[in-house]
Amino acid sequence: MTARRRKAERPGEILEAAFEEFSKNGFAATRLDDIAARANVTKGTIYVYYSNKEVLFETMVRELMTPVIAEVEALMAMEATDAEAVLRAFMKFIYANVAADRQCLELMRLLLLESERFPHLSHEHFTQFVNPMQLKLQDCLNELADKGLIRKAPALSLTDLISGPAVALNVWRLLFPFAGAIDTDEHMEAALDLFLNGLLPRD
Amino acid sequence: MTARRRKAERPGEILEAAFEEFSKNGFAATRLDDIAARANVTKGTIYVYYSNKEVLFETMVRELMTPVIAEVEALMAMEATDAEAVLRAFMKFIYANVAADRQCLELMRLLLLESERFPHLSHEHFTQFVNPMQLKLQDCLNELADKGLIRKAPALSLTDLISGPAVALNVWRLLFPFAGAIDTDEHMEAALDLFLNGLLPRD
DNA sequence: TCTTATTGACTAACTAGTCAGTCATTAATG
DNA sequence: CATTAATGACTGACTAGTTAGTCAATAAGA
């Protein structure tokens, strides 16, 4: 491995190690020496690439947020012609970006955890990801309701209900990792069916 | 204020202060001196009542959990004779214990936050509160389905979907306190209607 | 040889936990 | 009732340990 190659890879390796350590212990309880050890460097090296602990943390969290934000664009093309299709697309998107892998999981934990120290991180996440999606979903639901394709239910004004199952699944996994694994697709299909048809019998 | 009266009130005052500081900064980033200052004592006094920082934290969290656990008993008497009544009772209970006040809110944040350092706390919360409730809800849903009062939907095997809205509301408030306030009752009624009737039009 | 990534020993600051001492209150004594 | 002794809640200065951040020295590649 040449020195140049190492230099190109170091920042990523350090971010990876930082993710593991920060998501295990949170910002304050994580030692830079531990991150360094996990990345197979020493603390000094970290300071070559990141000016301090806070910058390292923020960079790491932003790294987690990037792929999420990129996908929002695609969703904006959605047309409200079929209730199930719209709902399925949104829920797929939400599950994929909230409850899909450990990185999503830990992103939420970190945002919750450090919202006091890094308030602008959750604010960014809101303006770049959550809010645009909610607004688009609101539009679609309104349009579907106007066309008579869905009921004019009180839930229509609370779009967060649609993302509820994915968020709750995430929290469940974070809080109770010892409880059995839940299949993400099954969870989503169940939620979708519940939202479309409700529990009361249909004739 | 006599010395004896002070002695009776100190532990509670310290717990109160500990709640404020810990929920603001988490375990590691909270200074005992700050807790002491908030409780209008000095650090030494804290050690008169609590043997160390971890014990103080655990005592404080358990204090938050007690009222929640006490209420579970009442729910166990529920009979599955009416779908809406059952669902409303459960959701009322869940919203009341998950999203009602700041203490519920912060309890969840703290459990999420410190699940690595204090795993037995979330485990306790699970066995004493979450799991009993889920089992009871499962029973009720099964019975309602057997009686034909609700559809045999896939959601029936995923009882966490029912608590989803309350959990999601909680997360929403923790993550995005800057977003406008959401009325808890309205939220619950919307969720209830969504769960019972679904979005698709009914004839 | 020269450049540059990396090291690791160092410091400066911070904080959990300790403990000898203070002082207001209460109880005992004359 | 007045004085003294005992109590125990509380203090705050101190120690010991930890960790973010620095920088002169080193080693490895070009």
Side-chain angles (χ1 to χ4, degrees), chain B residues 145-156:
Chain B
D146 287 344
K147 289 177 182 167
L149 295 172
I150 57 174
R151 289 168 50 233
K152 288 193 192 284
L156 293 193

Side-chain angles (χ1 to χ4, degrees), chain B residues 81-109:
Chain B
T81 47
D82 176 57
E84 180 172 341
V86 167
L87 222 57
R88 171 166 262 118
F90 269 98
M91 292 189 68
K92 216 169 198 148
F93 174 76
I94 293 161
Y95 271 85
N97 289 295
V98 169
D101 52 23
R102 201 164 70 82
Q103 305 212 334
C104 299
L105 235 67
E106 297 296 346
L107 173 59
M108 195 175 104
R109 172 189 259 142

Side-chain angles (χ1 to χ4, degrees), chain B residues 188-199:
Chain B
M188 193 196 89
E189 289 299 334
L192 190 59
D193 170 77
L194 179 64
F195 286 165
L196 286 171
N197 299 303
L199 284 174

Side-chain angles (χ1 to χ4, degrees), chain A residues 115 151 160 187 195 198-199, chain B residues 109 115 151 160 187 195 198-199:
Chain A
S115 63
R151 290 169 49 234
D160 66 291
H187 199 267
F195 285 166
L199 284 174
Chain B
R109 172 189 259 142
S115 63
R151 289 168 50 233
D160 65 291
H187 199 268
F195 286 165
L199 284 174

Side-chain angles (χ1 to χ4, degrees), chain A residues 12 34 51 61 130 132 151:
Chain A
D34 288 349
S51 53
V61 171
V130 178
R151 290 169 49 234

Side-chain angles (χ1 to χ4, degrees), chain B:
Chain B
M1 186 79 62
T2 69
R4 276 182 211 295
R5 251 190 84 72
R6 300 288 331 136
K7 167 153 194 192
E9 289 177 2
R10 280 277 181 256
E13 291 170 0
I14 292 170
L15 285 183
E16 188 106 350
F19 168 71
E20 295 296 338
E21 293 295 322
F22 280 133
S23 64
K24 198 166 62 181
N25 308 313
F27 180 80
T30 294
R31 286 179 293 271
L32 285 178
D33 280 320
D34 287 350
I35 295 175
R38 186 183 280 272
N40 295 313
V41 295
T42 57
K43 195 167 51 174
T45 307
I46 293 179
Y47 282 88
V48 174
Y49 299 102
Y50 304 98
S51 53
N52 59 48
K53 194 181 175 185
E54 297 206 345
V55 165
L56 174 61
F57 182 82
E58 286 197 25
T59 309
M60 184 273 287
V61 171
R62 288 234 169 68
E63 191 82 356
L64 290 179
M65 281 165 51
T66 342
V68 172
I69 291 161
E71 270 187 63
V72 178
E73 308 288 314
L75 206 71
M76 292 300 148
M78 170 76 50
E79 279 190 49
T81 47
D82 176 57
E84 180 172 341
V86 167
L87 222 57
R88 171 166 262 118
F90 269 98
M91 292 189 68
K92 216 169 198 148
F93 174 76
I94 293 161
Y95 271 85
N97 289 295
V98 169
D101 52 23
R102 201 164 70 82
Q103 305 212 334
C104 299
L105 235 67
E106 297 296 346
L107 173 59
M108 195 175 104
R109 172 189 259 142
L110 288 170
L111 290 179
L112 277 167
L113 213 130
E114 307 299 345
S115 63
E116 200 75 22
R117 194 190 285 257
F118 302 94
H120 54 287
L121 282 179
S122 60
H123 201 278
E124 245 171 62
H125 190 249
F126 182 76
T127 53
Q128 295 185 14
F129 169 67
V130 178
N131 200 38
M133 199 209 62
Q134 297 266 311
L135 291 174
K136 176 66 181 175
L137 177 56
Q138 187 70 75
D139 281 350
C140 287
L141 289 177
N142 288 342
E143 210 177 321
L144 287 171
D146 287 344
K147 289 177 182 167
L149 295 172
I150 57 174
R151 289 168 50 233
K152 288 193 192 284
L156 293 193
S157 59
L158 292 163
T159 52
D160 65 291
L161 281 173
I162 306 299
S163 36
V167 173
L169 176 60
N170 198 339
V171 170
W172 182 274
R173 285 172 174 165
L174 286 173
L175 270 182
F176 312 126
F178 45 83
I182 298 175
D183 184 86
T184 306
D185 283 337
E186 245 175 64
H187 199 268
M188 193 196 89
E189 289 299 334
L192 190 59
D193 170 77
L194 179 64
F195 286 165
L196 286 171
N197 299 303
L199 284 174
L200 295 180
R202 290 181 172 260
D203 311 309

